[in-house]
Amino acid sequence: METRILGKDLKVSAVGLGCMGLSHAYGAPTEKKEAIRLIGQAVEMGYTFFDTAEVYGTSDNPHENEALVGEALKEHRNHVVIATKFGIHFDETSPEVNKPLVPDSRPEVIRASVEASLKRLKTDHIDLYYQHRPDPKVPVEEVAGVMSQLIQEGKITHWGLSEAGEEDIRRAHKVCPVTAIQNRYSMMARWYEKLFPVLEELNIGYVAFSPLANGFLTARYNQNSVFDRTYDYRSVMPQFTPEAMEQNRELLSMLESMAREKEATPGQISLAWMLCKKPYIVPIPGTRKEARLKENAGAAGIRLTPEEVAALDRALDSMKMSGVFGGTETKS
């Protein structure tokens, strides 16, 4: 697979693997051996960029995802980039499937988090360490100061911000250069495109999570799709309602039409659209299926011309579509 550079010098595969869904938010966790096998398959296919977080798991095993990523990649550690995150925990008192987030980026919490993540990931350093969500109680400059210290100590090599806006990015970058932001981005969620000039000015990469709108843009779902209401966030996402399927008919039709033209799949067109839009965008779709893993990797080889990308943008600008999941509630 082709590679891209995030920030100044972090080389990653053009498409990364978001590992969250193996343990969290997309149904009951995948059996550990199968999850480890799938990550190993990703390495063989050319993926070098793997994303996890300390909170991707279940109430019974909240750190499950980091542990399986560490186990799966221990034999490949010198050839892969591992990204993980700190700074939130879930409100376990909530009965909701999608439990609210509680930010906590106090320096002492970050310190404890990085040590625990290093152990679970079976490594002596983290390649890209994100603040998972802004913490209104802790100035981002203070967080950036801790990141600078961790870089000096060799515990992390690069850092980033997730779901960050321009002000936080600029303030953080002044204290310790930011390598990448990890924000939601897809054909249905384009509100962070306004950050492109900022990222280009500061030489910061954009790691796009939920690049397929939580799988909706694969065009594999319909009005009869059913999701587990205990473990699967899609059971409460607006784009998966029967009404949304009808509202998004034009969007899916456009994707299917271009997919036929390019001898690709709708999901691949969705990923190629952002890959061909900016050289510093790296999508990190997740999957539990080997075939989909291969399909997502193949998106990196699809070429859309600037004119084709612009035409898709114009169509998206004028197209009626349903609401799309915009993120978990954050408690102040």
Side-chain angles (χ1 to χ4, degrees):
M1 198 191 304
E2 294 179 359
T3 59
R4 295 194 163 195
I5 301 295
L6 297 174
K8 182 181 178 181
D9 61 3
L10 186 60
K11 182 186 289 188
V12 298
S13 51
V15 176
L17 177 60
C19 299
M20 180 189 77
L22 295 169
S23 310
H24 180 82
Y26 288 86
T30 304
E31 192 274 325
K32 184 177 179 180
K33 287 184 179 179
E34 172 58 20
I36 289 172
R37 188 196 69 80
L38 191 74
I39 293 172
Q41 287 291 311
V43 174
E44 292 185 14
M45 291 179 192
Y47 287 82
T48 64
F49 188 31
F50 297 85
D51 183 86
T52 182
E54 65 177 346
V55 293
Y56 293 161
T58 64
S59 298
D60 294 334
N61 189 0
H63 310 302
E64 181 174 0
N65 201 249
E66 275 193 335
L68 74 84
V69 168
E71 182 67 25
L73 295 178
K74 63 183 180 181
E75 301 300 328
H76 310 285
R77 185 63 189 97
N78 294 332
H79 310 291
V80 298
V81 171
I82 296 176
T84 192
K85 311 175 196 74
F86 66 89
I88 63 167
H89 59 270
F90 290 103
D91 176 9
E92 293 295 345
T93 66
S94 171
E96 302 295 325
V97 59
N98 183 10
K99 300 182 188 303
L101 308 177
V102 182
D104 190 350
S105 285
R106 290 172 294 166
E108 62 271 26
V109 172
I110 297 173
R111 287 278 178 180
S113 290
V114 73
E115 296 298 341
S117 290
L118 287 168
K119 289 180 181 177
R120 286 189 291 268
L121 291 168
K122 301 182 185 298
T123 185
D124 62 356
H125 72 281
I126 293 163
D127 300 295
L128 182 53
Y129 201 38
Y130 296 105
Q131 183 185 28
H132 208 149
R133 290 292 184 273
D135 185 344
K137 297 179 181 177
V138 181
V140 73
E141 290 88 349
E142 190 170 353
V143 175
V146 177
M147 296 300 105
S148 181
Q149 294 168 5
L150 294 177
I151 289 171
Q152 291 173 10
E153 295 164 16
K155 293 181 178 178
I156 69 173
T157 59
H158 305 78
W159 86 289
L161 300 163
S162 184
E163 291 287 78
E166 178 177 355
E167 182 182 356
D168 277 353
I169 292 169
R170 290 190 180 279
R171 287 167 54 194
H173 193 73
K174 285 182 179 179
V175 177
C176 183
V178 174
T179 292
I181 63 166
Q182 184 182 132
N183 285 17
R184 185 180 304 275
Y185 188 46
S186 74
M187 285 184 166
M188 297 183 76
R190 298 171 62 201
W191 46 83
Y192 285 120
E193 288 185 345
K194 62 187 177 183
L195 292 177
F196 289 169
V198 179
L199 302 181
E200 289 161 16
E201 174 193 342
L202 302 178
N203 190 22
I204 295 172
Y206 192 141
V207 176
F209 77 84
S210 297
L212 297 171
N214 309 99
F216 183 85
L217 296 174
T218 62
R220 303 286 177 87
Y221 299 94
N222 58 42
Q223 288 92 336
N224 300 316
S225 298
V226 177
F227 304 102
D228 184 337
R229 292 189 173 274
T230 302
Y231 292 107
D232 199 323
Y233 287 14
R234 289 172 296 184
S235 63
V236 294
M237 289 182 181
Q239 68 266 39
F240 289 102
T241 65
E243 297 78 16
M245 292 293 173
E246 183 62 32
Q247 291 171 319
N248 295 318
R249 185 184 297 274
E250 184 181 0
L251 171 60
L252 296 180
S253 177
M254 180 184 73
L255 284 172
E256 289 167 343
S257 175
M258 180 162 272
R260 288 191 295 271
E261 180 184 332
K262 297 289 183 179
E263 297 184 344
T265 67
Q268 287 178 323
I269 297 299
S270 301
L271 297 175
W273 164 78
M274 66 177 68
L275 286 164
C276 295
K277 186 185 286 277
K278 299 290 182 181
Y280 51 82
I281 294 178
V282 176
I284 51 167
T287 186
R288 296 183 175 196
K289 298 177 180 178
E290 188 174 330
R292 190 62 52 77
L293 197 65
K294 186 175 181 180
E295 177 183 327
N296 292 341
I302 296 172
R303 297 290 177 263
L304 303 181
T305 67
E307 292 76 19
E308 288 172 326
V309 172
L312 287 170
D313 282 348
R314 287 193 298 271
L316 293 169
D317 286 339
S318 61
M319 190 178 291
K320 290 183 179 180
M321 60 180 75
S322 75
V324 65
F325 182 63
T328 302
E329 175 193 354
T330 301
K331 286 193 168 184
S332 58

